[in-house]
């Protein structure tokens, strides 16, 4: 289960961080790393926001493009990693608990089998003892007879 969980998490990460942004235009084909340049980010925001939210001044422009990169690339990556870590940790503990439950079940089954075998053996020994002490008809009668309630001193009138 742990390997399957890890595989599912890797596929989810690839889907949400690579495939969806690639199809939705979140990756640039103009740069080596596939990330938008500062100028491309400013043009994108100007085009779709309808205003110049990233003026070309150095300090504000760097902050604005860094904020855009964090919102578009960083936060989804961090959220997916945190969720993946949580799922992997829960999967580990559930798997461990299931393994312990399986071992406990096998131990209980073994003890039950051992107890049943012991009871069969005791019953056979008690029958053999009755047959060795009494004649066979009397022994059979004693084995099939209901046990009497013992009279105690507190039950007498």
């Amino acid at each position: 289960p742990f390997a399957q969980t890890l595989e599912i998490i890797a596929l989810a990460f690839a889907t949400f961080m690579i495939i969806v942004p690639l199809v939705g235009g979140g990756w640039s084909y103009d740069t080596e790393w596939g990330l938008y340049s500062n100028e491309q980010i400013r043009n994108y925001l100007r085009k779709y926001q309808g205003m110049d939210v990233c003026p070309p001044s150095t300090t504000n422009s760097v902050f604005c493009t860094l904020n855009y990169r964090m919102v578009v690339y960083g936060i989804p990556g961090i959220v997916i990693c945190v969720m993946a870590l949580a799922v992997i940790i829960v999967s580990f503990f559930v798997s461990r608990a299931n393994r312990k439950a399986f071992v406990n079940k096998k131990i209980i089954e073994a003890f039950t089998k051992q107890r049943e075998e012991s009871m069969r053996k005791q019953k056979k020994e008690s029958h053999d003892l009755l047959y060795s002490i009494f004649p066979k008809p009397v022994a059979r009668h004693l084995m099939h007879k209901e046990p009497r309630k013992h009279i105690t001193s507190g039950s007498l009138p």
Side-chain angles (χ1 to χ4, degrees), residues 65-76:
T65 56
L66 180 65
N67 184 37
Y68 176 81
R69 284 191 177 105
M70 182 57 98
V71 169
V72 171
Y73 302 114
I75 293 176

Side-chain angles (χ1 to χ4, degrees), residues 48-128:
Y48 292 104
Q49 297 290 330
M51 62 179 141
D52 195 9
V53 291
C54 287
S57 68
T58 310
T59 309
N60 197 18
S61 177
V62 169
F63 175 73
C64 187
T65 56
L66 180 65
N67 184 37
Y68 176 81
R69 284 191 177 105
M70 182 57 98
V71 169
V72 171
Y73 302 114
I75 293 176
I78 291 170
V79 168
I80 289 174
C81 288
V82 167
M83 288 175 53
L85 184 64
V87 167
I88 288 172
I89 290 171
V90 168
S91 170
F92 172 76
F93 285 114
V94 167
S95 176
R96 193 167 81 175
N98 287 341
R99 290 174 189 271
K100 283 183 180 180
F102 178 78
V103 169
N104 288 340
K105 179 182 172 188
K106 291 297 181 184
I107 289 172
I108 289 170
E109 286 175 359
F111 282 148
T112 303
K113 186 177 178 181
Q114 181 181 12
R115 188 184 70 197
E116 288 173 356
E117 186 64 35
S118 172
M119 289 173 66
R120 264 189 246 116
K121 186 177 178 182
Q122 284 178 349
K123 186 175 181 180
K124 184 182 181 309
E125 288 175 355
S126 67
H127 287 190
D128 291 344

